Amino acid sequence: RHRYQHSIYFSSVQFSSEQKLHVRGILAKYRLLLFWLECAARTLPAPVRFIPVSDSLLAYSITMNRHRCKGYFSIFSFFSILFVPYVCGLANTSRESVTGVTLKIAFDSSPSDDPDGYGGVADASAIKSERFTSPESLDMVHRLRRVSDCVLVGRGTVEADDCTLTVRRVPLFEGRDGQPTRVVLDPHLRLFKDVERKYQMFQDGHKVIVYHHMQDELAQSFSENETVNLVNVSVNNELSNDMSIETPTFYIDPTSVIKSLREEFDINHVMVEGGPATAISFLEKRLVDRAIIVKAPVAFGKPVPSKMSKRIMVNAGLECIGHYKNAGGDEIECWVRSGDDWPSEDGKLTSWP
């Protein structure tokens, strides 16, 4: 903007035609470079408003005439500028380029009663919930969080892990609005009723959205934290998939959650990170667009069944397009909605997230 204002000043001052031509050439190159750099930064409306494309191209043609003796260099510079967005990361997959719902969930290698079933999701014999996948898989999870608008879990995951769901193992993209929003499904707001426990997620200053079905007046009394947004949504009265609950209970309708996130919070890419009951509820509603299944080569002493199977994945409209083993020894299955492609630039499963 500073250089552009100088060009206006320049037109009102007496210079020789040779000086004007030389300065215009410099300004034209600067305008084009700024235009493509701002495109790369995903702020396209701004440069379009104050730098007309036709004006930039016209000015650049003056530059080419001024430097005919350096034609090869000018042409090279022009095409280099065209590729600036790719150098700066415009071609990289970011939060804006992937939408829908991405499910990620991990299992151990213990056998399941279901021939198509996956292993356990936790060790009931452990005193404290511990990570059981490899560091490479954990890095992948943080990369997936980084390209997501929000990370969604059920109440049980927060109770068991006291997780923060933030991006820590990889750097955040420049120009992003901080950490992805954390979303928790807690129908009865039990996380707030336990006053003795102070969950990290509600203390770190990052945004949290909690979906529930309590009365609004009662809900507001549970939280005075400005970073926590309590949202009342519709529920379904069906049998819960949570293994710890054997009686019919109210659970939050994931369709209402997705609609609320999109319309009220402008969240378009949702990462569902667990637990299995939450994952199954999204799969049963056929809301999952892609899934990453991590199978670790470890066996729990007393595995907590997940109730998840490949049959549930197929019934959700997904198909497995391949699998690979990462450097940590975990097997990664990649699922997408039938007919869709994996959201990587080169089509390789290992390139995204």
Side-chain angles (χ1 to χ4, degrees):
R1 295 177 190 272
H2 182 67
R3 291 292 186 185
Y4 189 68
Q5 290 170 355
H6 272 218
S7 69
I8 298 174
Y9 166 77
F10 162 73
S11 63
S12 64
V13 181
Q14 295 298 322
F15 290 101
S16 68
S17 58
E18 184 72 13
Q19 288 174 324
K20 283 187 177 182
L21 195 59
H22 178 69
V23 176
R24 277 178 181 152
I26 296 174
L27 288 173
K29 283 187 176 181
Y30 181 85
R31 289 184 196 177
L32 277 177
L33 182 61
L34 181 62
F35 178 82
W36 287 106
L37 283 174
E38 294 206 57
C39 286
R42 298 162 184 84
T43 56
L44 184 61
V48 167
R49 282 197 297 271
F50 78 90
I51 303 180
V53 177
S54 58
D55 178 64
S56 297
L57 293 178
L58 177 61
Y60 193 82
S61 67
I62 297 175
T63 306
M64 293 290 285
N65 291 330
R66 172 69 179 82
H67 298 286
R68 284 181 180 177
C69 61
K70 300 179 182 179
Y72 289 108
F73 174 77
S74 298
I75 293 173
F76 174 78
S77 299
F78 178 74
F79 284 103
S80 297
I81 290 173
L82 291 180
F83 285 100
V84 164
Y86 293 91
V87 175
C88 294
L90 182 61
N92 291 342
T93 304
S94 66
R95 291 188 190 177
E96 290 84 354
S97 60
V98 179
T99 60
V101 177
T102 302
L103 168 66
K104 172 269 162 186
I105 193 165
F107 306 100
D108 79 334
S109 61
S110 60
S112 172
D113 295 335
D114 187 336
D116 292 329
Y118 290 104
V121 292
D123 193 346
S125 62
I127 299 176
K128 181 182 178 181
S129 177
E130 299 287 350
R131 175 179 59 85
F132 61 92
T133 57
S134 67
E136 288 78 7
S137 293
L138 190 56
D139 289 342
M140 178 189 65
V141 170
H142 283 250
R143 291 196 302 271
L144 180 55
R145 291 177 183 174
R146 180 176 60 180
V147 297
S148 303
D149 294 326
C150 77
V151 183
L152 185 148
V153 296
R155 169 189 56 82
T157 299
V158 179
E159 286 183 329
D161 301 339
D162 191 14
C163 47
T164 62
L165 304 179
T166 55
V167 180
R168 302 182 302 279
R169 295 177 67 95
V170 295
L172 288 166
F173 289 126
E174 293 185 6
R176 293 293 165 262
D177 298 329
Q179 294 285 347
T181 301
R182 286 78 57 82
V183 179
V184 182
L185 308 186
D186 186 7
H188 302 285
L189 292 177
R190 294 180 181 174
L191 295 175
F192 296 95
K193 292 180 180 179
D194 188 356
V195 295
E196 295 183 359
R197 293 197 64 178
K198 301 296 183 181
Y199 296 102
Q200 298 181 72
M201 184 184 300
F202 304 134
Q203 310 296 323
D204 60 13
H206 300 302
K207 295 180 182 178
V208 184
I209 302 173
V210 181
Y211 284 98
H212 66 94
H213 70 81
M214 302 289 287
Q215 295 180 3
D216 290 338
E217 296 79 7
L218 183 60
Q220 293 302 325
S221 66
F222 283 125
S223 177
E224 297 179 354
N225 193 329
E226 295 181 354
T227 62
V228 179
N229 195 336
L230 304 181
V231 182
N232 196 326
V233 293
S234 61
V235 297
N236 286 329
N237 188 13
E238 297 181 6
L239 185 64
S240 171
N241 289 301
D242 191 334
M243 290 296 294
S244 62
I245 302 176
E246 299 179 354
T247 58
T249 183
F250 286 102
Y251 81 95
I252 293 174
D253 182 10
T255 305
S256 301
V257 171
I258 295 298
K259 181 180 179 181
S260 170
L261 290 172
R262 182 176 61 251
E263 296 179 357
E264 299 178 39
F265 300 98
D266 193 27
I267 288 177
N268 299 301
H269 183 204
V270 180
M271 173 188 177
V272 177
E273 197 167 329
T278 301
I280 290 175
S281 68
F282 275 80
L283 289 167
E284 287 180 344
K285 293 292 184 178
R286 300 174 71 91
L287 295 173
V288 177
D289 295 285
R290 65 198 67 84
I292 299 175
I293 306 297
V294 181
K295 296 189 290 185
V298 299
F300 294 138
K302 188 178 180 182
V304 177
S306 65
K307 283 192 172 182
M308 283 193 61
S309 65
K310 294 183 178 180
R311 181 177 61 258
I312 291 178
M313 303 289 287
V314 172
N315 291 340
L318 303 175
E319 62 176 345
C320 183
I321 58 174
H323 58 88
Y324 64 92
K325 184 170 291 188
N326 64 21
D330 296 338
E331 184 178 351
I332 313 296
E333 285 185 1
C334 299
W335 296 71
V336 296
R337 188 167 296 282
S338 297
D340 289 353
D341 297 321
W342 195 245
S344 58
E345 291 295 329
D346 57 7
K348 295 181 180 179
L349 301 181
T350 56
S351 299
W352 190 89

